[in-house]
Amino acid sequence: MRFFLILFLLVTICLQANTIKVCESCKIKTIKEAILLAKDGDTVSVKKGIYKETKINVDKSIYIIGEDYPTLDGQNKTESIFAAKAIDFVISGFIFKNVGLSYTKEIAAIYVSNSTNFNIKNNVLEDVFYGFIIQSSNFGLIQNNKITGKSINETTSGNGIHVWKCKNLRIEQNIVKGMRDGVYLEFVNNSFISNNTSQNNVRYGLHFMFSNNNEYHHNEFRENGAGVAVMFSKSIKMHHNTFHFNWGAASYGLLLKEINDAEIYDNIFEQNTIGINIEGCNRISYKNNHFIRNGWALKFRGGCYKNIFEFNNFVSNAFDLSYNSKLNDNKFEANYWSDYTGYDLDKNGIGDVAYRPVKLFSYIVNNTPETLILLRSLFVDIINFSEKVSPVFTPDNLIDAKPLMKPIEL
Amino acid sequence: MFKIIKYSFYDLMRSRWSYVYFAFYFALGFVLLFLNNDINKAVITLMNIIIVLTPLIGTIFGVMYYYNSKEFTELLLAQPIKRNRIFLGQYLGVSFSLALSLVLGLGVPFVIYGLFNSPAIFDFVLLLITGTFLNFIFVALAFNIALSNENRIKGFGYAILMWLFLAVVYDGLFLISLVIFNEYPLDKISLFATMFNPIDLSRILIILKLDISALLGYTGAVFQQFFGTLLGMIISFVVLSFWVILPVGRIALKANKKDF
Amino acid sequence: MIEIKNLTKKFGKLVVLDGLDLDIKSGGIFAVLGPNGSGKTTLIKSILGMVIPNSGEITIDNISVLKQWEYRNEINYLPQIANFPANLTVVELIEMVKNLRPKKSNENELITLFGLTPFLNQKLGNLSGGTKQKVNIILTFMFDSNLIILDEPTNGLDPVALIHLKEIIKQEKEKGKTLIITTHIMGLVEEIADEIVFLLDGKIYFRGSVADLKNQTNQTNIEHAIAHLLTKENV
């Protein structure tokens, strides 16, 4: 009996995961060496220091943990620093510097392909071309990384977190600045993107292409070249996000193109050139969103049916609504419009006169963009007023029949 | 000249109209804050009011003060004072007292409401600066009109017409011509046209801050450069200064040639 | 003291002063008479620099005054209409004018003389026309200048104030000051004027003493004498 007990202990000790230390004064001086020695389940603990290594292949179920933020220096070689292809691995706590760039090869600080159950967290990426490239992988968590780039234009820059053909990912609490797209998702399904901050990216803060059944919430997108783009995707939930200060002729808080059955609620769109640009979108429900001081709160580009806008706040936008085709099949009801000047005699909180969100001036600016320079002129107010009294140019039936007297609480 | 400014200023500060003007802005500030319940929104509404009303009040006051103090001016003219100093002194006296009514009348309610803790403070300050500029410009224009018209009914009429033209008609003609010549590149011309109307110029200056998100929606490169950089602000302020300097210069010239 | 040469002033097409030549010697009271629109006020205002002549020359003590302003420190002027900033008090106005003319002044004496003490702290807008004229007179006479120009000084004055005014004028004359007066009150002219200039259509039509005028027209009454001058013109 005692013998079996000793044998059992020995076996468990042998099977127990080991920790392999890497440092300048250690026996093992490189991460590559440590990974070679490691078995599944082992931890590679990398001490503080500078490691000039690239093309570190992660092909085992191991935990690679940086202690006190060791620096990985890519020496600008055209190779990724980590190339992972494994089940169950963690890369955490590193600073990445001098990661190479290539316009032909896919190079990133961490390149993940055909992996499952992975966890990339607490890393700092400085001046990278591509931050992470994740391909054909499932069940990954990308958390609490900070990625910065120095992108100047779209053609010579890469994405912060570039995901292609994945499922069941969680991208959380990352900060991405100065890349082309902060987060780029193509053919990604059933994933959650939350609590990230994406700002000052040259193109989009977040970019969905052909990705269905995803949910993004509690993110902040600010001062991106063109805002957030969601294209050719189905059933996406977007809520509790903040889109602000996305300024420019082709800049949006949110760009929706060919989107069906989405839910957009509890978001804040503040001071964007266009709050939401909507093109070819059907059956989208917009609820409890706050449009504050945007150039255009909503801009319809045509082909939109059966969208419902209710209980949203439209506050101090230069234009609440602009469109260039018929908008008959969409419903605006019970929103708060700060420009509404009607009254509520029966005190039920709903204005007694319908509100017309399209102003004559919005129609004029659509046709002659230079007239924008007359924004908020007294003359413009006068013609808007006369159009309100007897509509000639703006559609007769585009109204909010039950405008709210008080804004929805945030 | 400072003596003249001082006495004109005292005179106006004690007149009922200064208080009416002050009270008007004071009440306006409170009503706007009460109705909007939000400094940011109140600032936007205020902008619409300021760019229309400040010029109107400046015009009316300027003309009224000039005609009402005509005999007093004659008294001064017999004193050993240089002519244009009398008029510039009166001009500055009126302008300063109106500016003070504006700044205090609006400033006090907003400060009570917590302006200093609001990010809107810069917008608000810009609004007051532009309002003050408009005030100086329109008092100067009014003085010019009054100096050129002995008949006060005529002078008053011309002054009001000038205001009406710059506040409404100009923009109407501007808009119509933009729509008619829609096919041509118009961005430079339209920027240029704003420079010739101080009300438009002030409006641009304020919306550069308040509605920059919308202004940047226009694709023209000239617009982008004008609105997207500090250039727009600087040019607007410089031209606005010219709008003060030129009419004031004419007051000085005209004053030297006029008979009393 | 004052020399005016070839002074011409036109308001539009209307010629108000037509090549006027005039010299006024130092000391004495000089009355400028003439029908309405004859150019009296324009002449005075030209001397003061309030009207800018089309051509001609005005010198005071041999110094040209055109486009100058400092010389006005030596002139006291009583304008025709007394109207002041309505919201200043009498004291403030007096202080202001004193402030503008850094010169010795004796306003207190005059204030007592015209009984203005109770009005000192009232706003000018609330004063009656006569009281305003008294203020006007104080502002004019409180300084000690060699040249005093009075444009219709008797406007709106009560008899007592009128007597005071005449006294002041006489006192100033005795001090050797030069006074130029325009008025329609011929009694006043006869009483105080040393020399008369009669203007008509922008030209000097008569110049001399009251006695000369009566002699020339064979009239005993100055008003008739003036009327005679005018009818002679019409003949």
Side-chain angles (χ1 to χ4, degrees), chain B:
Chain B
M1 181 159 73
F2 282 106
K3 292 170 187 167
I4 313 271
I5 297 178
K6 202 176 91 187
Y7 285 104
S8 291
F9 185 77
Y10 273 172
D11 180 33
L12 273 163
M13 276 288 109
R14 287 183 196 180
S15 84
R16 208 165 0 122
W17 287 108
S18 290
Y19 291 109
V20 170
Y21 189 43
F22 171 79
F24 168 74
Y25 272 119
F26 193 75
L28 183 74
F30 270 116
V31 167
L32 280 183
L33 287 168
F34 177 73
L35 285 182
N36 289 317
N37 227 331
D38 172 48
I39 286 191
N40 248 319
K41 249 185 84 187
V43 163
I44 293 176
T45 320
L46 200 57
M47 170 200 142
N48 289 311
I49 295 169
I50 276 199
I51 57 170
V52 174
L53 275 188
T54 317
L56 179 64
I57 292 169
T59 308
I60 294 177
F61 250 78
V63 175
M64 240 169 47
Y65 186 83
Y66 178 86
Y67 287 125
N68 280 346
S69 59
K70 237 184 132 205
E71 286 81 14
F72 175 57
T73 309
E74 291 190 12
L75 176 93
L76 289 177
L77 280 167
Q79 307 298 330
I81 311 164
K82 226 170 153 177
R83 258 183 179 220
N84 49 27
R85 286 195 191 151
I86 295 172
F87 291 94
L88 293 183
Q90 290 186 342
Y91 161 69
L92 290 174
V94 177
S95 302
F96 276 126
S97 67
L98 287 184
L100 198 72
S101 295
L102 170 77
V103 170
L104 288 183
L106 286 178
V108 170
F110 276 76
V111 167
I112 292 174
Y113 214 83
L115 175 71
F116 290 122
N117 299 321
S118 160
I121 182 162
F122 291 108
D123 298 348
F124 183 74
V125 168
L126 179 72
L127 209 60
L128 289 188
I129 292 174
T130 327
T132 309
F133 256 113
L134 280 174
N135 186 31
F136 273 79
I137 291 169
F138 277 82
V139 175
L141 292 174
F143 261 64
N144 268 296
I145 290 174
L147 269 167
S148 308
N149 288 284
E150 275 303 302
N151 182 335
R152 62 173 71 192
I153 309 251
K154 257 190 177 173
F156 219 86
Y158 286 142
I160 296 293
L161 278 180
M162 170 201 70
W163 170 81
L164 198 65
F165 178 77
L166 292 176
V168 185
V169 180
Y170 189 90
D171 286 357
L173 297 174
F174 190 4
L175 184 69
I176 290 165
S177 43
L178 283 180
V179 170
I180 290 176
F181 298 108
N182 180 339
E183 318 254 297
Y184 301 90
L186 292 169
D187 45 357
K188 274 185 203 162
I189 293 167
S190 51
L191 275 180
F192 203 63
T194 24
M195 302 290 154
F196 284 97
N197 181 345
I199 294 185
D200 274 345
L201 198 58
S202 317
R203 192 172 45 76
I204 292 290
L205 199 55
I206 298 172
I207 61 175
L208 266 178
K209 202 84 177 69
L210 293 184
D211 290 294
I212 185 64
S213 42
L215 289 176
L216 288 175
Y218 180 67
T219 33
V222 182
F223 266 39
Q224 285 288 324
Q225 209 190 348
F226 187 85
F227 294 133
T229 62
L230 216 61
L231 189 75
M233 279 256 170
I234 293 170
I235 292 183
S236 303
F237 266 121
V238 168
V239 178
L240 219 46
S241 311
F242 274 114
W243 268 104
V244 180
I245 294 165
L246 294 180
V248 169
R250 191 174 174 273
I251 292 178
L253 276 181
K254 188 81 188 164
N256 273 341
K257 286 188 188 145
K258 194 174 158 64
D259 300 313
F260 290 89

Side-chain angles (χ1 to χ4, degrees), chain C residues 103-117:
Chain C
K103 210 172 169 182
K104 229 184 87 191
S105 60
N106 63 336
E107 71 278 9
N108 290 334
E109 211 175 289
L110 294 166
I111 288 169
T112 343
L113 182 64
F114 285 98
L116 275 183
T117 319

Side-chain angles (χ1 to χ4, degrees), chain A residues 332-395:
Chain A
F332 293 87
E333 199 167 274
N335 298 287
Y336 171 77
W337 313 85
S338 67
D339 283 349
Y340 180 64
T341 50
Y343 43 84
D344 177 23
L345 291 182
D346 52 5
K347 300 275 175 208
N348 62 353
I350 296 165
D352 299 346
V353 207
Y355 177 73
R356 304 182 164 278
V358 181
K359 290 178 192 159
L360 175 59
F361 186 51
S362 151
Y363 172 86
I364 295 172
V365 170
N366 255 355
N367 292 319
T368 314
E370 288 87 353
T371 53
L372 189 59
I373 203 162
L374 289 163
L375 182 66
R376 295 196 195 280
S377 147
L378 179 60
F379 183 78
V380 165
D381 290 347
I382 294 171
I383 59 167
N384 276 342
F385 179 76
S386 57
E387 174 75 13
K388 194 171 92 179
V389 175
S390 56
V392 180
F393 298 99
T394 53

